[in-house]
Amino acid sequence: RSKATVSVLYCPLISHLTKMMRSGLRVAARSAVVAPQVRNSSSLQVTISGLNYVGTGLSAIALAGVGVGIGNVFGSFLLAAARQPNMMRALFNYAILGFALTEAIGLFALMIAFLMLFA
């Protein structure tokens, strides 16, 4: 998209936010005493820790892909071994190699999930 299209899309949102800010300033100027607003830091920390759990769950989605990949590796191995039984030893070596590489991706995804959860 061009910059003009993006600015046209966000223009109503920006004008609405500007109106809200101006009306809030008028209300604050009319009041006799303006009390400072203190944010509750504990609710903000609870929200952030909740987002850690969401991020960890989203990163664990990769583990489902690993399960599908390992299933494909061994399913293909069984099909190939049924077609050419004399090549079974070489095919088994390739299947184990494919399993190891697919499982490594799963371990990386699990490591990222744990880093997001505990770091």
Side-chain angles (χ1 to χ4, degrees), residues 93-117:
N93 290 339
Y94 289 137
I96 293 299
L97 179 65
F99 168 76
L101 293 176
T102 308
E103 188 67 25
I105 293 171
L107 291 175
F108 289 143
L110 191 63
M111 180 187 66
I112 294 297
F114 283 144
L115 281 174
M116 290 176 68
L117 187 61

Side-chain angles (χ1 to χ4, degrees), residues 4 14 18 20 34 36 38 42 53 59 65 69-70 72 74 77 89 105 113-116 118:
I14 292 172
T18 312
M20 286 178 53
V34 177
V38 178
S42 65
Y53 293 125
S59 67
I70 290 173
N72 283 338
F74 283 108
F77 165 68
R89 182 172 298 276
I105 293 171
F114 283 144
L115 281 174
M116 290 176 68
F118 297 116

Side-chain angles (χ1 to χ4, degrees), residues 13-29:
L13 177 66
I14 292 172
S15 65
H16 177 69
L17 290 174
T18 312
K19 287 177 188 176
M20 286 178 53
M21 287 173 46
R22 287 181 184 160
S23 66
L25 290 175
R26 287 187 201 131
V27 170

Side-chain angles (χ1 to χ4, degrees), residues 24-85:
L25 290 175
R26 287 187 201 131
V27 170
R30 281 190 231 147
S31 64
V33 176
V34 177
Q37 294 181 353
V38 178
R39 288 186 177 252
N40 190 357
S41 64
S42 65
S43 67
L44 183 62
Q45 289 174 351
V46 168
T47 304
I48 289 173
S49 69
L51 292 178
N52 282 345
Y53 293 125
V54 170
T56 302
L58 290 175
S59 67
I61 291 173
L63 298 176
V66 168
V68 170
I70 290 173
N72 283 338
V73 166
F74 283 108
S76 298
F77 165 68
L78 289 176
L79 286 174
R83 287 180 184 217
Q84 292 186 350

